[in-house]
Amino acid sequence: MAVVSTLALHAMSLPRAVRARVRSRAVAGERSDEELMLAYVDGDEAAFRELFERWAPIVHGLTRRHLRDEDLAREITQQTFFKLHGARKDFRRDGKLRPWLLTIAMNLVREHWRRGKRRRHVELDEQREVAPTPDKSRLELEQRAEMLHEALAELPETQREVVELHYFQERPYKEVAAIVGSTEGAVRVRAHRAYRKLEAILQKMGLQR
Amino acid sequence: MSASAERRDPEPELAFLEGIEAGRTELDPGELDDLFEGVRGRVEKSGARRLNALAEQPTSRRRLFALACCALIVVGLGALLPHSNQPLPPLALGAIFGSFGVLLVVAVVIAFRPIYVPALSPVWKIGLGVAAVAAAVSVALVPELHAHLTARPAEGAFLGKALPCLSFGLLAGLPGYVFLRLLDRGAPFGPLLAGVAAGLAANMVLELRCPVGGAEHLMFGHAMVVVAFVVGVALLERLVLRRA
């Protein structure tokens, strides 16, 4: 557990960008996702735009981490919202939008893998082209992040999607189970195995204290 | 869940994975606009197609429409149009319409499974196609189910014996196939599942209408309709779409 403890220590100083993005919107007066969706079903085009602005970065982040391909992530983000539009009349007044969107995105990602398209590794240089100029510590962080990316990529699909949803999207196990079509217990086991495997891969890569 | 497993819960150890986000780009407003324009373009394009309104119907309604269409084909062509066949005995009726009916309903339910619920494994869908073909072939090969059929195919070329039923079956199923595809929202294996439903409906029509017995005729005139829809039409559509 030494490696993991080290990782946890590093994590303390990291920006919480991911979590901030998915944090629930409790701003007074702001319409909820469900209210926006219902407004869109009733013909409010602006509501769809608002939903897109709210959720596209999250869906994009999720699919990008999964596919490691910027263009593909954008394409699947667009497809997700197009599919959401196509299914809008299925949306029930008591429904929740978030599991809908994430399930659509995950289904599209799975469909992509099913069609035999292989993961294309995005070159680090390519990423740096669009990234702000990093300082030394940031570079180190990026290198470590790249290692972790690779470790994550080595996980089986079923384990990776659980980590993506539970950890990065902060979805509770119950919701992750609903999204991936499994039971909560099975999802917990998958997360547990994923974590153990990640730990082993990272140790092998030499990510140590 | 064991205590060990709880301890190994990804929180907080995997917190370091957030480092993956470090230095990566976020979607800036301009990129977000471009992406949204892309989505809007697709929405407008699909909205311009009048028939797309069918696919946008709620899922329960799409399933109902699909089943109603299949029922209309079976009842309209198989039972209401005049024909010279004897009524099916209860055993044959139950076996053929029971098995085909269940498979047809399952095909429609899976074909119109909405995308916002976890996708079924492709094994289910391919398995359903295999089951439909197997059911059609089995029905053709069980003589007891067709003991009431006294007529035999006319003498002549092999294909000539089966061709009338094969053609009629394909024509009977085609409107159903097209309608089911119009209801589809682009689900994976949609053509295959529509083929299963249309092929089974067409086969039921033939079972009701055709007075000709004989394993060869039943196999190549009736069961082949299901094979043609499940494999042929679905593959053809895939090829055509790929080229387009």
Side-chain angles (χ1 to χ4, degrees):
Chain A
M1 293 297 287
V3 171
V4 180
S5 304
T6 311
L7 302 186
L9 281 173
H10 279 289
M12 301 295 283
S13 60
L14 286 171
R16 313 291 285 179
V18 179
R19 287 158 194 249
R21 276 188 289 146
V22 295
R23 203 159 285 146
S24 62
R25 289 159 187 274
V27 181
E30 194 170 356
R31 286 192 288 180
S32 72
D33 295 333
E34 289 71 29
E35 285 169 338
L36 284 173
M37 187 63 195
L38 289 170
Y40 181 54
V41 173
D42 292 339
D44 181 355
E45 299 284 334
F48 189 52
R49 169 81 204 204
E50 204 174 329
L51 271 179
F52 186 85
E53 284 175 2
R54 197 178 279 188
W55 279 96
I58 295 166
V59 172
H60 173 257
L62 173 75
T63 52
R64 188 181 57 180
R65 268 193 302 274
H66 227 78
L67 301 162
R68 299 196 68 196
D69 185 316
E70 182 61 33
D71 292 339
L72 204 52
R74 286 173 189 230
E75 168 62 22
I76 287 188
T77 302
Q78 288 185 322
Q79 276 187 35
T80 301
F81 282 89
F82 179 59
K83 295 281 184 188
L84 178 73
H85 161 79
R88 68 193 182 284
K89 288 180 183 168
D90 280 346
F91 193 75
R92 291 196 308 246
R93 303 225 158 244
D94 56 346
K96 287 276 172 202
L97 184 76
R98 191 177 57 203
W100 258 52
L101 258 176
L102 297 181
T103 306
I104 293 174
M106 292 307 292
N107 278 344
L108 291 171
V109 167
R110 285 191 201 132
E111 178 62 11
H112 165 76
W113 291 125
R114 188 185 68 74
R115 288 185 176 172
K117 290 176 185 167
R118 293 286 169 260
R119 178 179 299 238
R120 279 195 288 135
H121 288 274
V122 182
E123 295 295 328
L124 195 60
D125 290 346
E126 193 181 312
Q127 291 167 2
R128 281 177 186 157
E129 271 178 27
V130 289
T133 311
D135 55 25
K136 194 182 173 187
S137 62
R138 198 158 184 86
L139 256 174
E140 281 174 8
L141 201 59
E142 275 190 18
Q143 284 164 355
R144 282 169 174 268
E146 189 62 26
M147 288 170 83
L148 283 158
H149 233 327
E150 284 168 18
L152 203 57
E154 283 188 36
L155 292 180
E157 181 73 15
T158 51
Q159 290 178 9
R160 190 167 56 244
E161 66 186 13
V162 167
V163 173
E164 296 280 6
L165 291 165
H166 177 246
Y167 185 73
F168 288 105
Q169 299 296 327
E170 289 193 308
R171 301 295 100 224
Y173 281 127
K174 195 175 175 186
E175 193 175 315
V176 175
I179 291 171
V180 303
S182 187
T183 61
E184 190 178 337
V187 162
R188 279 178 179 276
V189 170
R190 268 191 234 171
H192 168 59
R193 287 180 183 159
Y195 165 65
R196 287 185 66 179
K197 194 163 183 182
L198 269 179
E199 184 185 358
I201 295 168
L202 290 172
Q203 276 176 335
K204 205 182 282 180
M205 285 177 163
L207 198 64
Q208 288 169 354
R209 193 186 291 269
Chain B
M1 207 69 202
S2 69
S4 163
E6 284 297 347
R7 186 172 54 80
R8 286 172 176 276
D9 194 59
E11 298 276 5
E13 289 88 345
L14 285 186
F16 187 76
L17 287 175
E18 282 188 6
I20 286 170
E21 288 297 301
R24 303 297 164 94
T25 53
E26 296 293 318
L27 288 173
D28 64 38
E31 290 173 318
L32 211 55
D33 282 344
D34 289 346
L35 280 181
F36 186 72
E37 285 308 311
V39 176
R40 206 166 68 172
R42 290 179 200 203
V43 168
E44 281 170 4
K45 202 174 165 186
S46 74
R49 291 193 294 265
R50 280 188 185 179
L51 288 172
N52 196 59
L54 281 171
E56 288 190 355
Q57 293 299 314
T59 294
S60 55
R61 202 175 292 172
R62 289 187 303 139
R63 284 174 172 157
L64 197 67
F65 284 171
L67 290 173
C69 173
C70 293
L72 199 68
I73 287 171
V74 175
V75 175
L77 293 177
L80 297 184
L81 278 185
H83 57 83
S84 56
N85 195 6
Q86 299 292 316
L88 279 167
L91 171 71
L93 193 71
I96 297 171
F97 283 75
S99 58
F100 286 7
V102 167
L103 287 170
L104 193 152
V105 171
V106 173
V108 166
V109 169
I110 295 180
F112 300 114
R113 185 178 168 87
I115 193 165
Y116 50 84
V117 293
L120 283 178
S121 159
V123 173
W124 277 87
K125 297 162 188 177
I126 295 167
L128 196 64
V130 172
V133 170
V137 169
S138 304
V139 163
L141 291 178
V142 178
E144 287 78 12
L145 294 176
H146 300 95
H148 64 293
L149 300 176
T150 50
R152 287 290 171 265
E155 292 298 319
F158 165 74
L159 197 59
K161 295 175 192 175
L163 204 55
C165 275
L166 184 61
S167 313
F168 184 81
L170 289 175
L171 285 175
L174 201 58
Y177 181 81
V178 172
F179 188 67
L180 262 65
R181 297 297 294 126
L182 289 174
L183 289 167
D184 184 39
R185 292 178 185 157
F189 293 95
L192 174 79
L193 295 168
V196 169
L200 290 170
N203 206 327
M204 284 195 260
V205 170
L206 291 173
E207 291 295 334
L208 286 169
R209 287 187 62 85
C210 177
V212 180
E216 199 178 64
H217 172 79
L218 294 168
M219 177 64 82
F220 294 100
H222 295 201
M224 199 52 74
V225 174
V226 179
V227 177
F229 270 108
V230 172
V231 183
V233 180
L235 265 182
L236 195 70
E237 185 181 307
R238 209 181 161 93
L239 276 177
V240 169
L241 283 178
R242 205 170 268 180
R243 288 201 173 170

